[in-house]
Amino acid sequence: MTNDVLIFATLFTGLALIAAVLSLWFGVATALSEIVVGTVAAFVLENEFGITLIPKDAGWITFLAGAGSILLTFLAGAEIEPDVLRLKWKEATAIGLTGFLAPFIGCGMLSYYILHWGVSASLLSGVALSTTSVAVVYAVMIEFGLNKTDYGKTVLAACFINDLVTVLVLGFIFSPFTIKTAIFFGASLLTLAILPSVTSYLFAYLGRRPSEFETRYILFVLFGLGALASYAGSEAVLPAYVVGMVLAKTAGRDHVLIRRLRTLTLGLLTPFYFLRAGSLISIPTLASAPGVLFLLLFGKMASKFAGVYPCTKVFKSPPKEAMYTTLLMSTGLTFGTISALFGLSHHIIDVKEYTFLVAAVVGSAVVPTLIANTFFLPKHLISGLSSAEEEISGNTSD
């Protein structure tokens, strides 16, 4: 390991510590403070010291960030219990679909009629801004313990449906179906079909050993399907979410394994992911035309509200929970950034359009969540959860 690698590793872990302290001080989710810290740090380092936060030859940072997003998405999927999804599938599907359609149409029209982007660029804008960030939502859920509630699991399921539709639409509009796509879908379906029984068998005979077989097995499956997804031109985090859902009754109920994976993911990997996401924002570019960023960000939030909020009321959500769901569904990060990068690399959008799209996507990871946690946090669910845990703890001690 070279000295440069250690220097940048020290820098990133130092920034992660600062972000953790700030999240405690201001009472916000750690993921959000990491994004903001990454943005500010990248700007200060480049302008004051001439140092790039993400060196061009630092593929290891990209790998750790990618691994963090894959594992975080897997953990989010593992939180969704099949029984809850079976009961709430109508609500999750309706919220997920409206969470995609409303901003896809609204932001696409905004880009075309107001910003005067081309047809393809406007469609790409609609796709990029229709996403919901599973990584951000799950990180927030863990922060407040909502991932243990039926409400939190339903929101996570809606996030998955939203992003699944986003990826499919991106592929149908801009990527022709090829033999690689068929191989990916075929191999994924076969793997997912046999995964629960194979996992149960292997964990029963090879698990609970010092070698941490379970963790290595999960990483092997996730990286393998992620490699297949990349081969087919899709995104590695998509199969990770499905794997988490499929293994919710096996690996998802192994609390020791999940705790270890969370330690690895939240302690080491996701700081690289969120700090790197924040560093993609160029403050000078945004300062040159802040109105474009405001329009895109407002367009995403307004269209999400127009689609998701009425949908939550159809399913009789209380006002506070309905607003909290709407704001969390307004977040974006991974798939939005990926969609924008796809558009840039395929010459659908130019560098300037890419910059504003990524900034709006990353901004949507911060602004809606900040508003949600400050004004609409469903504290009654959290307090109820705490009371239940205390009761369980008391019964256990008896």
Side-chain angles (χ1 to χ4, degrees):
M1 184 177 289
T2 65
N3 190 46
D4 285 346
V5 172
L6 290 174
I7 290 173
F8 278 100
T10 303
L11 175 61
F12 264 83
T13 50
L15 292 174
L17 284 173
I18 293 172
V21 172
L22 290 176
S23 72
L24 292 173
W25 281 355
F26 293 103
V28 299
T30 308
L32 300 183
S33 62
E34 286 170 349
I35 292 171
V36 175
V37 167
T39 302
V40 175
F43 176 76
V44 171
L45 287 173
E46 187 169 349
N47 286 273
E48 297 297 329
F49 303 101
I51 301 173
T52 303
L53 183 60
I54 310 290
K56 291 183 179 180
D57 59 345
W60 62 277
I61 294 179
T62 303
F63 168 73
L64 290 177
S69 68
I70 290 172
L71 273 169
L72 193 62
T73 306
F74 164 78
L75 288 170
E79 293 286 353
I80 302 174
E81 295 181 6
D83 295 337
V84 174
L85 187 58
R86 212 172 289 119
L87 290 172
K88 300 281 189 175
W89 71 269
K90 290 182 180 179
E91 183 177 353
T93 302
I95 292 173
L97 288 177
T98 54
F100 165 78
L101 285 173
F104 175 67
I105 296 170
C107 293
M109 293 178 66
L110 183 151
S111 299
Y112 185 76
Y113 289 107
I114 298 179
L115 298 180
H116 304 294
W117 292 5
V119 175
S120 295
S122 298
L123 286 171
L124 196 283
S125 172
V127 171
L129 296 175
S130 68
T131 58
T132 295
S133 176
V134 174
V136 172
V137 173
Y138 182 63
V140 171
M141 291 287 179
I142 288 181
E143 196 90 16
F144 298 105
L146 291 169
N147 58 301
K148 299 176 182 177
T149 65
D150 288 354
Y151 165 78
K153 291 167 184 175
T154 304
V155 173
L156 285 169
C159 292
F160 167 70
I161 291 168
N162 190 149
D163 285 342
L164 175 62
V165 176
T166 300
V167 172
L168 292 175
V169 170
L170 179 67
F172 286 140
I173 294 177
F174 298 108
S175 296
F177 189 91
T178 65
I179 187 64
K180 291 182 179 180
T181 313
I183 292 172
F184 167 58
F185 276 111
S188 297
L189 290 174
L190 177 61
T191 302
L192 294 171
I194 65 173
L195 199 58
S197 56
V198 171
T199 301
S200 297
Y201 176 82
L202 291 177
F203 279 18
Y205 285 93
L206 299 173
R208 304 288 184 179
R209 308 289 174 88
S211 62
E212 293 292 345
F213 172 83
E214 298 96 330
T215 302
R216 300 184 188 195
Y217 171 81
I218 293 295
L219 290 174
F220 170 76
V221 172
L222 294 178
F223 289 160
L225 287 176
L228 265 178
S230 298
Y231 165 78
S234 184
E235 173 50 37
V237 298
L238 182 59
Y241 201 105
V242 182
V243 170
M245 292 178 66
V246 167
L247 295 183
K249 281 194 170 183
T250 52
R253 292 185 178 178
D254 188 337
H255 300 298
V256 175
L257 172 62
I258 294 298
R259 192 178 300 116
R260 288 170 178 167
L261 287 174
R262 278 186 191 164
T263 301
L264 170 66
T265 305
L266 300 177
L268 172 65
L269 299 175
T270 53
F272 284 91
Y273 173 66
F274 289 117
L275 287 167
R276 180 176 178 271
S279 72
L280 294 173
I281 299 176
S282 172
I283 294 178
T285 302
L286 299 179
S288 66
V292 177
L293 169 62
F294 174 78
L295 273 175
L296 291 173
L297 181 56
F298 175 79
K300 171 168 182 170
M301 293 181 63
S303 56
K304 285 275 189 179
F305 182 87
V308 174
Y309 187 81
C311 188
T312 63
K313 299 306 291 180
V314 168
F315 290 93
K316 305 187 184 323
S317 290
K320 202 165 192 177
E321 290 179 25
M323 279 299 300
Y324 196 72
T325 300
T326 302
L327 287 164
L328 288 187
M329 291 296 294
S330 300
T331 60
L333 195 57
T334 309
F335 288 118
T337 304
I338 288 164
S339 299
L341 184 58
F342 176 91
L344 180 65
S345 60
H346 289 78
H347 308 292
I348 300 167
I349 56 176
D350 58 29
V351 175
K352 194 171 183 181
E353 292 166 341
Y354 168 80
T355 299
F356 285 116
L357 271 179
V358 169
V361 166
V362 177
S364 71
V366 179
V367 177
T369 316
L370 208 55
I371 296 172
N373 290 338
T374 303
F375 300 105
F376 300 102
L377 185 67
K379 295 180 181 178
H380 62 286
L381 293 177
I382 300 171
S383 60
L385 183 65
S386 300
S387 301
E389 288 178 341
E390 288 175 6
E391 185 178 341
I392 292 171
S393 176
N395 292 338
T396 303
S397 61
D398 292 342

